[in-house]
Amino acid sequence: MRHHPINVAIFLAAMLFGMNACDSKPPVDGGDASTSASEAESADSVESAEASDAASEVASESASEVAMVDFPHGAATALVAGSGSGYTDISNWAPGICFPMAQTPVYANSQVYSPGGDHYPTTTASNHGVQCDPVNYAYPWKDNFCEARGWNNPVCASGQGHQGQDIRPTTCKANMYWAVAAEDGVVTQVGSYTVAVTGNGAPHRIYRYLHMQKSSVKVTVGDAVKRGQKLGLVSNNLGVSNGVQQYTTIHLHFEVRIAQAEQLADGTQLTANAFVPPYTALVDAYQRKLAGDCPTVE
């Protein structure tokens, strides 16, 4: 993935949404012999640099050609029956990203329409199962972008719905598994349980991570981060309301936003900071992750 500096306007927009010079030494004057030796050293340096650049290009190409490892997963837009209006755009809105969790396996599925969720159907209305039910920690993955919610989302058929993808960690334990940066970028928001990273590479996707353990977050606003760098531990943190700590199920809610206006394949115009479906990008990233892509960075 090519990376470009984030312009000031996009950086400020991302902040509002969430909220080396090299030393250069002059040449030393000397006799003909000194000059000749210097030229020879310079030529060697150029050849060495060119060889290094060539090796870097080969390594970069090899990294971009990581073999895909398939795994059981439902199709994009195939939500749990009766869980929401769904959507139609299955574009990969963030190709080449690092999968946003360090450890595998993980399980993408609904936090609301699965055991432990308040819309999971059981024989009694007061019992919705338990979040640690083995069915929640097993393949196949299920898309849950545009699940029924009261939040505005123009990509959803109803105009409202879930704005990201929920991902359970390897086991039903909080504060053990790391969320990592999807792309080289800049931290543009840190909240009581959230972190947002704006990618360096055009068109500067904005990645937001929810439900992390606050004390584990390793970054602050303005920090530059590398692809695969640890951000914080996945938890059940839902922040504080009226002085009382709130909890959700143990999972990472992962969002992708656009930094500037773009258009869906069907012609729908999206404004800057609009949510776009992350599921296709996540499936691709996870296939590469299982093949060894995206080593974790401290």
Side-chain angles (χ1 to χ4, degrees):
M1 180 183 293
R2 295 181 61 192
H3 299 292
H4 306 278
I6 303 173
N7 65 45
V8 174
I10 290 177
F11 179 82
L12 291 176
M15 295 216 26
L16 289 173
F17 130 69
M19 88 152 284
N20 301 329
C22 299
D23 292 334
S24 178
K25 297 183 179 179
V28 178
D29 291 334
D32 291 343
S34 174
T35 302
S36 177
S38 177
E39 289 174 349
E41 290 175 1
S42 177
D44 289 343
S45 296
V46 170
E47 290 178 1
S48 177
E50 289 176 345
S52 177
D53 288 345
S56 295
E57 288 180 7
V58 169
S60 177
E61 289 175 2
S62 298
S64 66
E65 295 173 0
V66 174
M68 305 294 274
V69 174
D70 204 8
F71 67 100
H73 59 278
T77 78
L79 279 60
V80 172
S83 67
S85 62
Y87 63 100
T88 59
D89 188 284
I90 60 171
S91 304
N92 186 338
W93 286 89
I97 61 169
C98 174
F99 189 75
M101 293 178 67
Q103 294 98 331
T104 60
V106 299
Y107 307 99
N109 55 49
S110 174
Q111 305 302 302
V112 175
Y113 292 87
S114 298
D118 58 6
H119 282 69
Y120 181 69
T122 58
T123 54
T124 62
S126 61
N127 177 18
H128 298 283
V130 294
Q131 65 165 316
C132 294
D133 190 308
V135 72
N136 289 340
Y137 290 84
Y139 296 125
W141 276 19
K142 293 290 289 185
D143 190 352
N144 80 320
F145 186 80
C146 285
E147 260 185 358
R149 300 287 198 281
W151 307 318
N152 291 335
N153 192 342
V155 177
C156 303
S158 68
Q160 292 183 321
H162 192 231
Q163 298 165 325
Q165 174 65 45
D166 290 334
I167 310 168
R168 299 180 198 263
T170 304
T171 65
C172 189
K173 293 182 180 180
N175 312 324
M176 284 189 61
Y177 302 100
W178 288 99
V180 300
E183 184 184 336
D184 290 0
V186 175
V187 177
T188 45
Q189 184 255 338
V190 175
S192 60
Y193 59 92
T194 63
V195 170
V197 174
T198 300
N200 286 346
H204 309 296
R205 296 291 183 241
I206 302 166
Y207 308 100
R208 194 164 72 138
Y209 304 71
L210 279 67
H211 311 308
M212 288 188 286
Q213 181 190 34
K214 184 177 181 180
S215 62
S216 73
V217 172
K218 299 167 68 71
V219 295
T220 59
V221 172
D223 284 354
V225 294
K226 293 292 186 182
R227 183 178 187 269
Q229 183 173 330
K230 290 179 178 178
L231 300 177
L233 291 169
V234 176
S235 78
N236 57 352
N237 182 10
L238 194 58
V240 176
S241 177
N242 296 321
V244 180
Q245 176 65 49
Q246 305 296 307
Y247 296 98
T248 180
T249 53
I250 300 166
H251 73 284
L252 176 71
H253 169 102
F254 179 73
E255 297 172 355
V256 178
R257 291 192 184 209
I258 56 175
Q260 54 198 2
E262 294 187 44
Q263 188 170 288
L264 295 177
D266 66 2
T268 301
Q269 190 70 25
L270 300 178
T271 60
N273 285 327
F275 302 94
V276 289
Y279 188 79
T280 299
L282 287 170
V283 169
D284 173 76
Y286 191 64
Q287 288 174 324
R288 287 182 282 104
K289 176 71 173 177
L290 294 177
D293 184 31
C294 193
T296 304
V297 177
E298 292 294 334

